[in-house]
Amino acid sequence: MVIAMNKLSKNTVPFPVPDNELERLKDILAYKLEDDCVMENLDQICVLARSLFDVPIASAILIGHDRMTFLGRSGGMDATSVPRKDVYSNYTILSDDVHVIEDTLQDERFKHNPFAQGPEGLRFYAAAPLYVRKGVRVGAFGILDHKPRGFSEENKMRLRALADLANKELQRRQVLMDLKRQRDLWSQTARMTKVGSWSFDSRTQVITSCPNTYDILEVDPERGEPGKQMMEYVIETLSSKLDADFAALVSRGAPLDREIEVITAKGNRRWGRLYGRAEKLHDRITHIAGSLQDVSETHETASKISRLAFTDSLTNLPNRTYFHKQLQQMGEAADTDIRPGSLLLLDIDHFKEVNDTFGSGAGDIVLKTVTRRLNAMFGKTCRVFRNGGDEFAVILSSELEAENTDLITDGLMQVLRKPITLHGQNIHITASVGLALKKQHSTDMDQLLKDASLALTTAKKEGRNQLVTFRPEMRQEQIQTKRLLDDIRLGLASGMFKPHYQPIVDISTNTISGFEALMRWHHPERGVLTPGAFGVAFDDPELALSLSDVALEHALERIALWRAADVTFGSIAVNLSCFQFQSGDLVANIQEKLSRWDVPPECLTLEVTENVYMGRRASQVASTIRKIHSMGVQIALDDFGTGYASLMSLNKFPIDRLKIEKSFVQDRNGGAVVQAIMTLGSRLGMKVVAEGVEDASQLATLYAMGCDQIQGYYFAKPMPPQNVPEYVRKFANNGDTENYAA
């Protein structure tokens, strides 16, 4: 290292070097910062930084001669060091300012850096320098993200404050090193670090202390004999805390190094680091010398860091991190503040719509109210956690036995359903709850969490607003679902998924106005399967995207073929998945496909379900739909009447067709609903399509109501694409189309 420093030259290294580089490296050597220097408190500060700035990575690093090493971190790579040439922080140690890179790929200094370009994809960086003494910057405390982001002056101030905490930890290490090897500077160091010295003479049984020790313990040396006061204080106040350790030091000379809570002579509570070592003469202990450091401030800082890292700031509940920490401790049979019993997971139903309906801040009031109700119901024997968003968890005490399940089910759901009054309005909420009973189902906490999660998922799938208790067969259902998803992935890779086409008939002109592309799985063993056999795939983001993309690609290919063959098919409707709106490239994807297949936009209709259109990403969906509609593509609102759309908002969005869900058409008592939807569509200038028409009486009723278009088995079942041209020809000639509807 010394040789490397002597040869260091700014002209020979591929990174900027501070003017005081040699001095900086000497400090690193002097305090042995590179030797086993990872500090637990720095890890805690990094956890806090991740939480405060919502970033995946936070670290405190040391920049040595040719590599960077971690002093503390949370998140990120597992490596213990990184070549210095690749480190963003080379620029951080050039000044005392906070160094920010909002987008590494847009910065000439870093756009070719392997951490920006490589699998880590570190696009954002902000850091403040670390130092053991002013002006000598040995490293950096920073945060990183995989996506670009801005960083305000207020955020810089917060990051600088966290870096100051980290600097205090480095300075504390520096002081302790000085204490061990610089006895001649003891008094000055003691004043700076709140450390006092003491010694015990075994022959006179007298304790002698320096003024700092008296100050820490609040012993008044002006009152009587200080040594006697110290002996009385040790015997009356500290003996119970030191017990066997101090006895071993006095009798055998065993070193003492303990952190203890002390009550001072004035009754104040403090934390001290007590160190003692015996001096012997002819194997007889003559003196014991040591130090006492007031670490109360460090303890308070650690306590604050812990509260910030493990407490949800809105509800003041323990957060997800602490929840999993508690589960781990329970699994390891460690001491915890509650006796583990069963586990309950809770999600508030449609929570996003609370803010959308009642305004900003309403969601916070709901979360605080739910917190109060859960705490009031479960009391001190259980522990309630907020897992983030609208999710809560409750670890139930072991006193809660299986026979109390009905009490939990009825009581909890009733409590949650009570309306919340806000600005004179009542907010009605419901929740989905999953419960796993430890005695009945599992004694392993990890498995218990999986069981409760399965029960919660089941509650959501079965309609929400209910509590579902885990059943062992749910695990088998989960395994079967996983196998089915694996089979679907294999089927997609093998080209087994292709759409069939069902005609949509204009009832007034008795002509085909279009077809809907409906996905089918051509299974090698089970034959042609409808979506009922693979519906779980539409809840999986990756599979839903793939199926939607396959449907769109096949439909456009068929449109191109039918146009070339002069088949009059109208417009082909393809269903969009909600996950396609989250991909961010839906508009460009559709433009590219239309161009590649040379298909006019008016030949394509995209169907969006009501809940997707009016749901959690309404503004994003609406913006995307407007762009697609402006291209000339028609838009249909599918399954209308089954969701929660606001009728007042329908005229705000570009909708060409309203499709009435088949349950209303096939229900003998659904006529009023169907008539209302048709009236609404007519007034808004939209075509109304009735789905699920299966017999002549339904057709006659819809015709009498003035329905525009019909879709259903009465005209044809979904058919393979090769049957469409002949079906169109037969229909145009009023021929028998039954054979082509297979």
Side-chain angles (χ1 to χ4, degrees):
M1 185 70 158
V2 175
I3 295 174
M5 285 197 302
N6 291 337
K7 292 183 177 181
L8 187 66
S9 170
K10 293 184 181 180
N11 297 325
T12 62
V13 292
F15 46 80
V17 176
D19 293 332
N20 61 345
E21 178 73 351
L22 292 180
E23 184 181 9
R24 201 180 66 79
L25 295 177
K26 285 178 181 178
D27 270 9
I28 293 174
L29 284 175
Y31 295 105
K32 299 182 179 179
L33 290 176
E34 291 193 2
D35 300 333
D36 190 27
C37 60
V38 175
M39 305 178 196
E40 183 178 355
N41 281 348
L42 289 184
D43 285 342
Q44 292 293 327
I45 296 172
C46 291
V47 170
L48 174 61
R50 286 183 66 190
S51 174
L52 287 178
F53 294 104
D54 191 23
V55 295
I57 302 170
S59 63
I61 66 167
L62 180 75
I63 300 179
H65 166 61
D66 57 1
R67 65 191 177 100
M68 174 274 282
T69 54
F70 290 96
L71 298 171
R73 60 179 161 178
S74 177
M77 67 182 73
D78 293 330
T80 58
S81 67
V82 173
R84 181 172 173 182
K85 64 181 180 63
D86 298 328
V87 176
Y88 298 161
S89 298
N90 282 311
Y91 291 84
T92 305
I93 62 174
L94 297 179
S95 74
D96 291 329
D97 296 332
V98 174
H99 179 218
V100 178
I101 312 170
E102 295 187 345
D103 189 350
T104 55
L105 295 184
Q106 300 301 318
D107 193 310
E108 290 296 325
R109 300 171 298 173
F110 307 103
K111 67 180 183 180
H112 299 299
N113 188 287
F115 290 102
Q117 293 282 356
E120 289 82 8
L122 300 178
R123 298 282 299 277
F124 169 79
Y125 167 84
L130 295 178
Y131 46 86
V132 292
R133 57 194 176 93
K134 188 174 181 180
V136 182
R137 296 174 286 274
V138 297
F141 180 90
I143 57 175
L144 298 105
D145 202 343
H146 302 297
K147 58 180 181 292
R149 59 191 292 173
F151 206 68
S152 66
E153 289 300 323
E154 183 179 358
N155 282 334
K156 290 181 181 179
M157 181 182 67
R158 291 174 178 171
L159 183 61
R160 191 177 290 109
L162 289 174
D164 287 343
L165 287 176
N167 282 324
K168 287 182 179 179
E169 287 300 308
L170 292 181
Q171 292 161 9
R172 187 171 72 90
R173 180 185 177 91
Q174 168 198 4
V175 168
L176 292 176
M177 293 288 293
D178 286 343
L179 284 173
K180 292 179 181 178
R181 67 175 186 237
Q182 298 182 36
R183 297 285 182 112
D184 56 331
L185 297 176
W186 171 255
S187 59
Q188 178 183 357
T189 305
R191 287 194 301 271
M192 182 175 64
T193 61
K194 299 181 181 179
V195 175
S197 62
W198 57 270
S199 65
F200 172 70
D201 190 322
S202 61
R203 292 168 296 183
T204 62
Q205 298 288 296
V206 172
I207 296 178
T208 304
S209 305
C210 76
N212 262 19
T213 306
Y214 294 134
D215 290 342
I216 293 170
L217 299 177
E218 295 186 317
V219 172
D220 185 0
E222 301 298 325
R223 292 181 54 202
E225 302 177 33
K228 185 178 179 181
Q229 285 191 65
M230 285 296 298
M231 282 299 298
E232 292 175 351
Y233 176 80
V234 169
I235 293 171
E236 296 175 4
T237 310
L238 296 183
S239 58
S240 62
K241 298 181 180 296
L242 298 174
D243 48 72
D245 287 348
F246 198 80
L249 173 63
V250 174
S251 62
R252 303 194 311 272
L256 172 65
D257 188 357
R258 283 271 304 275
E259 190 171 287
I260 59 172
E261 185 181 23
V262 299
I263 304 298
T264 70
K266 293 183 178 180
N268 296 314
R269 189 182 301 272
R270 289 183 179 174
W271 282 89
R273 186 81 188 187
L274 186 63
Y275 176 82
R277 185 173 293 274
E279 297 178 4
K280 295 182 179 181
L281 180 64
H282 305 305
D283 293 329
R284 180 183 177 185
I285 298 174
T286 59
H287 288 82
I288 297 174
S291 64
L292 176 65
Q293 182 183 16
D294 184 352
V295 294
S296 303
E297 184 179 346
T298 302
H299 247 270
E300 181 61 25
T301 299
S303 177
K304 288 180 179 178
I305 290 173
S306 180
R307 287 196 297 271
L308 288 169
F310 297 118
T311 303
D312 174 59
S313 60
L314 176 66
T315 62
N316 210 33
L317 289 174
N319 61 15
R320 179 190 293 270
T321 302
Y322 193 73
F323 170 61
H324 286 281
K325 182 180 179 182
Q326 284 277 285
L327 289 180
Q328 182 181 3
Q329 289 177 347
M330 292 172 184
E332 296 171 352
D335 291 335
T336 57
D337 52 357
I338 55 176
R339 295 166 61 191
S342 302
L343 180 61
L344 181 149
L345 299 179
L346 179 151
D347 278 10
I348 300 174
D349 297 329
H350 306 304
F351 176 70
K352 174 65 169 59
E353 279 64 56
V354 172
N355 277 338
D356 292 345
T357 304
F358 295 95
S360 176
D364 289 350
I365 293 174
V366 168
L367 291 171
K368 291 178 180 178
T369 303
V370 170
T371 297
R372 288 195 297 271
R373 292 177 179 179
L374 291 176
N375 280 330
M377 178 173 183
F378 291 106
K380 296 180 180 179
T381 59
C382 305
R383 174 61 68 85
V384 181
F385 304 82
R386 184 188 176 197
N387 282 355
D390 59 356
E391 303 173 12
F392 293 83
V394 183
I395 298 178
L396 305 172
S397 67
S398 58
E399 287 83 1
L400 193 66
E401 303 295 342
E403 56 264 30
N404 291 332
T405 303
D406 291 340
L407 179 63
I408 298 173
T409 304
D410 298 337
L412 175 61
M413 303 311 288
Q414 288 177 11
V415 164
L416 292 174
R417 289 173 186 144
K418 290 180 180 178
I420 301 169
T421 302
L422 175 65
H423 304 315
Q425 300 183 77
N426 284 337
I427 302 176
H428 296 273
I429 64 168
T430 60
S432 302
V433 184
L435 174 65
L437 302 173
K438 185 176 181 182
K439 271 194 170 184
Q440 289 187 354
H441 303 134
S442 178
T443 57
D444 177 80
M445 297 308 292
D446 286 340
Q447 187 60 53
L448 198 70
L449 177 59
K450 294 177 183 177
D451 294 347
S453 298
L454 270 176
L456 175 60
T457 301
T458 303
K460 292 179 178 179
K461 287 183 178 179
E462 293 181 353
R464 303 179 185 270
N465 189 22
Q466 59 183 308
L467 186 151
V468 172
T469 302
F470 172 78
R471 304 183 303 274
E473 56 266 28
M474 289 180 181
R475 293 179 190 159
Q476 186 60 37
E477 293 171 2
Q478 185 186 41
I479 293 172
Q480 292 174 351
T481 299
K482 183 180 182 304
R483 289 175 180 169
L484 177 58
L485 291 174
D486 289 340
D487 288 344
I488 293 171
R489 289 187 179 91
L490 180 61
L492 277 166
S494 304
M496 298 178 187
F497 285 87
K498 298 177 182 178
H500 283 199
Y501 297 84
Q502 186 175 39
I504 301 171
V505 177
D506 191 301
I507 197 170
S508 61
T509 63
N510 196 31
T511 58
I512 295 174
S513 62
F515 287 80
E516 181 178 359
L518 299 166
M519 187 59 74
R520 295 293 184 264
W521 184 1
H522 295 257
H523 198 281
E525 298 173 358
R526 299 168 60 191
V528 179
L529 304 178
T530 64
F534 54 91
V536 293
F538 297 107
D539 295 324
D540 182 279
E542 180 185 356
L543 290 177
L545 278 172
S546 297
L547 286 169
S548 298
D549 193 64
V550 167
L552 183 59
E553 192 73 28
H554 273 272
L556 291 174
E557 180 184 15
R558 283 296 164 179
I559 292 174
L561 291 173
W562 292 332
R563 290 183 72 240
D566 290 328
V567 177
T568 306
F569 57 85
S571 173
I572 303 300
V574 179
N575 290 278
L576 288 181
S577 162
C578 63
F579 299 109
Q580 286 176 283
F581 292 96
Q582 302 172 23
S583 65
D585 59 357
L586 179 58
V587 176
N589 186 29
I590 291 174
Q591 286 177 326
E592 185 276 328
K593 283 180 168 56
L594 288 171
S595 175
R596 176 158 45 85
W597 289 107
D598 193 23
V599 169
E602 59 269 19
C603 292
L604 177 65
T605 297
L606 296 178
E607 296 195 0
V608 183
T609 61
E610 184 178 353
N611 287 347
V612 171
Y613 216 127
M614 309 299 171
R616 298 188 175 190
R617 296 177 177 84
S619 59
Q620 179 184 353
V621 171
S623 174
T624 303
I625 287 292
R626 288 190 185 98
K627 292 177 183 178
I628 295 173
H629 192 260
S630 67
M631 295 160 47
V633 176
Q634 298 182 63
I635 303 298
L637 187 58
D638 197 15
D639 293 341
F640 185 72
T642 62
Y644 51 89
S646 168
L647 299 181
M648 295 293 293
S649 65
L650 287 181
N651 62 345
K652 298 179 181 179
F653 305 112
I655 300 173
D656 300 295
R657 294 181 187 172
L658 283 181
K659 299 193 73 174
I660 306 175
E661 207 275 332
K662 66 180 181 181
S663 61
F664 295 115
V665 174
Q666 296 172 356
D667 184 355
R668 293 183 179 180
N669 299 317
V673 175
V674 172
Q675 183 67 71
I677 294 174
M678 287 193 293
T679 301
L680 175 67
S682 176
R683 291 184 177 180
L684 294 176
M686 305 172 186
K687 293 284 187 181
V688 178
V689 183
E691 296 182 297
V693 179
E694 295 184 353
D695 56 47
S697 63
Q698 292 172 352
L699 177 63
T701 299
L702 291 166
Y703 180 81
M705 288 183 177
C707 185
D708 298 306
Q709 296 174 349
I710 300 296
Q711 181 179 350
Y713 285 6
Y714 179 79
F715 290 103
K717 295 180 180 180
M719 65 189 74
Q722 61 270 22
N723 291 8
V724 169
E726 185 63 12
Y727 179 87
V728 171
R729 186 185 66 79
K730 289 274 190 178
F731 195 96
N733 295 329
N734 293 320
D736 182 8
T737 59
E738 184 177 353
N739 292 334
Y740 303 97

